[in-house]
Amino acid sequence: MSERRYRTIALAALAVYDLVLISGATVRVTGSGLGCKHWPGCQAGHPLPAKDYHSYIEFGNRVVSGLTLLFTLAVAGMAWLVPTTRRQRLLAVAIAVA
């Protein structure tokens, strides 16, 4: 794994973090916090949201949050494959755990 590829993945993770902030704010501002009553889907036995404005907003936030988790775990795992300092590795893992 090259440092350049690691940096690209880390910057992509940062972009996804920005998206989760925006989608979370959208959920809050529109009052869509209970748009999906079940987890991980919106309805029991059905993974996709109903045709409801609030359900789409809440479900979109869940999808972006899932992407954030994947990118964070990828950055934490890749920190051990590139030449980084111990502090940088621990920071990557701490971010993934938090």
Side-chain angles (χ1 to χ4, degrees), residues 49-69:
K51 296 184 186 272
D52 178 29
Y53 175 74
H54 294 294
S55 296
Y56 282 131
I57 292 173
E58 173 67 19
F59 189 73
N61 184 45
R62 290 181 183 187
V63 170
V64 173
S65 297
L67 288 174
T68 302
L69 175 66

Side-chain angles (χ1 to χ4, degrees), residues 71-94:
F71 272 93
T72 303
L73 292 174
V75 169
M78 290 178 192
W80 299 95
L81 302 175
V82 296
T84 57
T85 65
R86 181 175 186 266
R87 182 174 183 249
Q88 289 170 327
R89 287 186 193 125
L90 290 176
L91 181 61
V93 171

Side-chain angles (χ1 to χ4, degrees), residues 3-28:
E3 288 183 47
R4 183 175 184 206
R5 179 173 280 173
Y6 178 71
R7 183 175 296 127
T8 301
I9 296 294
L11 289 173
L14 183 63
V16 175
Y17 274 124
D18 289 343
L19 285 177
V20 82
L21 287 173
I22 293 168
S23 68
T26 303
V27 168
R28 177 74 176 162

